[in-house]
Amino acid sequence: EGYVHGVMRYLMKGENHRDYYLTTREHLIPGETFHVVGKATLRIHHQLLVCNPQVSPNDIKTILSHEQALGQCSQTLRRLYPHAVLEPVSSTSGAARLVAESGDSTKAAISSRFCAGIYGLTVLADDITDVKENYTHFYVVVKGYYILQTDFGPGLALLLWPKKNDPGILHDMLSPMAALKINVRYAPQIPLGGTDNNVAFFIEMDTHKNPRVTNSVLTLLAEMSSRMIVLGSFLTEATI
């Protein structure tokens, strides 16, 4: 996160090619307003961090990390540390902090070189991700007041709540876009708990060169939904 032109901006995790994960605006800070203003793709490098630089791989009994990092390294962990217990925690940075605070040489964390430097840990194993081409998409979101421009950027992010989660509902909601040659990049369903009908769809779509066409599609989608939120529009996508 950081300040850009006096506005606090955050990275909100969107999608990884191995594990789909989405955090909606309401799940970040209830009652706050967030808008998507950009998108970035980051290559993910996982390192195994330990307290003691002299520790042997055979001494590792517990490996801590976020559940996604554990999943993305599962094959490597089974091969190199078959007897280690995998312990999920809230974040990869939190795993590094917990291992550093414990001072326990039998514990390791899947995290980054950056966190190794912060917490004084040693990299025991480098780039342990099962799939080396491991990328995660992040949305850049602004907290607080933000006016969505009338001239949309190339990308647009929406949340849609269907009136009923009937078979074919997503097809019906996306048909107006197909008819107008608007590309939908992806449209995962987000279960919200309770009944099977309590779902939303996250839509990332390209916009039409004519803003009026884009606005017409948004009007149709709003009519077909019990609720619709335009999360924001982004101009560019960067790969880091």
Side-chain angles (χ1 to χ4, degrees), residues 11-233:
L11 285 180
M12 181 178 77
K13 192 169 187 181
E15 179 261 346
N16 180 272
H17 80 280
R18 291 196 67 235
D19 305 286
Y20 187 81
Y21 180 85
L22 178 74
T23 301
T24 68
R25 186 171 71 187
E26 285 75 6
H27 293 158
L28 291 173
I29 300 179
E32 294 285 358
T33 300
F34 287 82
H35 288 92
V36 175
V37 295
K39 188 177 179 182
T41 301
L42 280 70
R43 185 172 181 177
I44 305 301
H45 298 276
H46 291 309
Q47 277 68 236
L48 193 68
L49 311 182
V50 295
C51 297
N52 182 0
Q54 306 302 322
V55 70
S56 166
N58 294 330
D59 296 330
I60 301 300
K61 305 301 182 187
T62 306
I63 299 176
L64 293 76
S65 197
H66 187 275
E67 61 180 358
Q68 281 196 348
L70 292 172
Q72 291 170 7
C73 304
S74 60
Q75 296 178 26
T76 303
L77 296 178
R78 283 196 298 268
R79 177 169 51 86
L80 299 179
Y81 312 97
H83 303 297
V85 175
L86 306 185
E87 183 177 323
V89 295
S90 60
S91 67
T92 55
S93 59
R97 176 180 57 79
L98 290 170
V99 169
E101 291 176 349
S102 73
D104 187 344
S105 60
T106 68
K107 290 185 177 182
I110 299 175
S111 192
S112 64
R113 286 188 177 273
F114 180 74
C115 287
I118 290 177
Y119 296 110
L121 299 174
T122 297
V123 176
L124 180 65
D126 188 24
D127 201 9
I128 61 172
T129 313
D130 296 333
V131 179
K132 301 310 177 186
E133 296 298 313
N134 184 17
Y135 293 90
T136 297
H137 300 299
F138 291 85
Y139 295 99
V140 182
V141 297
V142 170
K143 173 185 175 183
Y145 185 72
Y146 178 78
I147 298 176
L148 188 65
Q149 296 179 352
T150 303
D151 295 329
F152 297 110
L156 192 63
L158 312 171
L159 274 178
L160 302 175
W161 281 260
K163 293 180 179 179
K164 286 187 177 182
N165 189 23
D166 293 331
I169 184 63
L170 181 59
H171 174 271
D172 294 342
M173 299 180 82
L174 299 185
S175 292
M177 301 184 200
L180 294 169
K181 307 299 182 183
I182 292 179
N183 181 51
V184 176
R185 300 183 186 184
Y186 53 91
Q189 178 176 287
I190 307 168
L192 301 177
T195 67
D196 291 340
N197 285 329
N198 191 20
V199 299
F201 291 102
F202 175 83
I203 308 292
E204 183 186 322
M205 55 179 277
D206 294 334
T207 53
H208 197 276
K209 61 183 178 180
N210 184 344
R212 292 184 179 179
V213 176
T214 301
N215 278 312
S216 296
V217 169
L218 294 179
T219 299
L220 288 172
L221 290 174
E223 292 173 352
M224 300 173 68
S225 308
S226 61
R227 185 184 180 195
M228 182 180 81
I229 295 177
V230 178
L231 292 174
S233 178

